[in-house]
Amino acid sequence: MLTNIKYKFKLFLFWAICLTTAFVSCKKEKGLGEDPYAGGKKPLDLTFISKTIEPDVVNAGDVLTVRVKGLSKYINDFKVYVNEIEAEVVTGSTNDTTLTFKVPLTASTGSMWITSQGQSFFGPIVKVGGKVSVDASWKVINGATNNNNNGFSLSTIYDIEALPGGNYFLGGAFNDFELNGTEKLPIGGIAQILGNGAYSTSGVNFGKGAGGADKSIYSITRIPTGSQAGKYIIGGSFTSFNSTRINRQTLNNVARLNTNGTLDSLILRDVINPKPQETYKNGDTVAAFNAGVDGFVRKTFVFNEQVYLVGNFNNYKRMYLPNSSYDEKVYDYTRMRQVVRVNMDGTMDSTFHYNKSTRQSAIGANGVILDAMMQNDGKLILVGTFSTFNGTQANRIVRLNLDGSVDNSFNAGSGANSDIISIRYNANTNKIVVGGTFTSFNGKAASGINLLNADGSNVTTFTGQPITGGITNFVGQLNNGKIIVSGSFNKYGDYLRQGFMVLEANGQLAVGYNNTGGFQGAIYDMVETTIATGSQVILVGDILRFNGTLPHNIIRLNFAN
């Protein structure tokens, strides 16, 4: 039997070889075995010998020399580029084996290459130094992560709040930070770091952090004065804080934390108890800040001991304690679209964005509110995808009076012709900077960036260049007037800028501040600290890569004077 199987296998193999030989022979007869690339251009005999640049970090304008082979044949027909910017060749010291060139003044970190006769030859990476650098002393190593392993685990940091002692609170969608979280005790969307970036639990106890819904904290605001001074308002998408028990999922996307990071709560006595045999249910512990909404909260603000909530919601919710039990909570609902103001006990302020005759809010925006800011006088400026607010024309930007009505004295005029994604205000410069997908603002050409006066009017001295290859999704002005811009773009005017750039207050690229290489991701917030040599800027967001580093969603940059 075994001999018969071996015979059949050999016979099958023989016929397979015969068929393959016949197929190949047929191919050859038809000429399909010929080189399909025959007749094309032959590669030039030009190569780089140098694998690195000396010194390791150079400055714009420096003269560099690299070793090459075979350049003399093309000495009158070649160009040199540093990260897509053409470099000036020093002809007197360039020959068959040596290439000398100047680093362009507008160059940034990236590869260098030679082009000749339509062919490109890539050389070593040129690391361009300048006035912006990644802070090597920053202690963040693994940063914000998410260990859910569900294939779509966000670890974005949405907000950073500076604390009086020099530490910072971070809020986001992560459940781990610096690999300190565990399955039993995750770091649920909130963490504390020291001034040098090191993770710290000193003085705080967040427990399991945010739970339920998206388990995300989008905004953290410290209460500066008043009866609740030193405590924090957090907003986002969550239904609990430091609890995974179903009957403790009683929060509605907003909460107040004590100074030590615990949930600000109060104990109730004589609670309705349908199960009197379970005597522990005669009492209950609930959030002291009895307020919530039925959608996510994007921004929180505090002014005059009142809390402003801005986001994507339709109703304000407040627990009705007299009818609530330990296991079942009853809520009162009031229709309040996108914006609501509440007192420190959580009661809604009906003098803001509310129509007492209809017992609900005004219409609000006819689109999505993507970002918001508060001016020193308590007035809110909202930006997003909308074209009207409360029925009044407001093209992607609107300022509200202290009663929630549209402030017609805001001089944004016709506003933006497309979405505004980001808005920030700098108190030092008294200017507002906006970024998004728009190409004009109040009749002025503006390619995704515009600088405004505090009254909403255009800063006439700011003239931006066209942004191509993507969009702007974050803008922020430094105290010295320079503007940080990030997004998915790859060019600003004729200059290569891969997702990150620094502009002067007039809209021109800041010389010496655009040396960094490629950026990938999105920035959501920044904090600037003045130091003796300039300033340090912490950026947070969904930051995947910056200048060859992997920031894990938080990075600190040094900006030299």
Side-chain angles (χ1 to χ4, degrees), residues 447-466:
S447 181
I449 315 165
N450 196 30
L451 191 63
L452 310 177
N453 295 303
D455 64 357
S457 61
N458 288 323
V459 173
T460 57
T461 56
F462 179 88
T463 303
Q465 301 297 313

Side-chain angles (χ1 to χ4, degrees), residues 330-350:
V330 177
Y331 294 91
D332 284 334
Y333 287 77
T334 304
R335 184 165 179 79
M336 294 294 295
R337 293 197 70 246
Q338 301 167 317
V339 186
V340 65
R341 184 169 68 195
V342 298
N343 300 308
M344 278 301 168
D345 62 354
T347 55
M348 191 188 81
D349 181 359
S350 59

Side-chain angles (χ1 to χ4, degrees), residues 373-392:
M373 57 158 280
M374 177 176 279
Q375 294 185 308
N376 294 334
D377 58 2
K379 290 186 177 182
L380 287 177
I381 301 179
L382 314 175
V383 298
T385 68
F386 53 87
S387 59
T388 65
F389 194 91
N390 290 352
T392 301

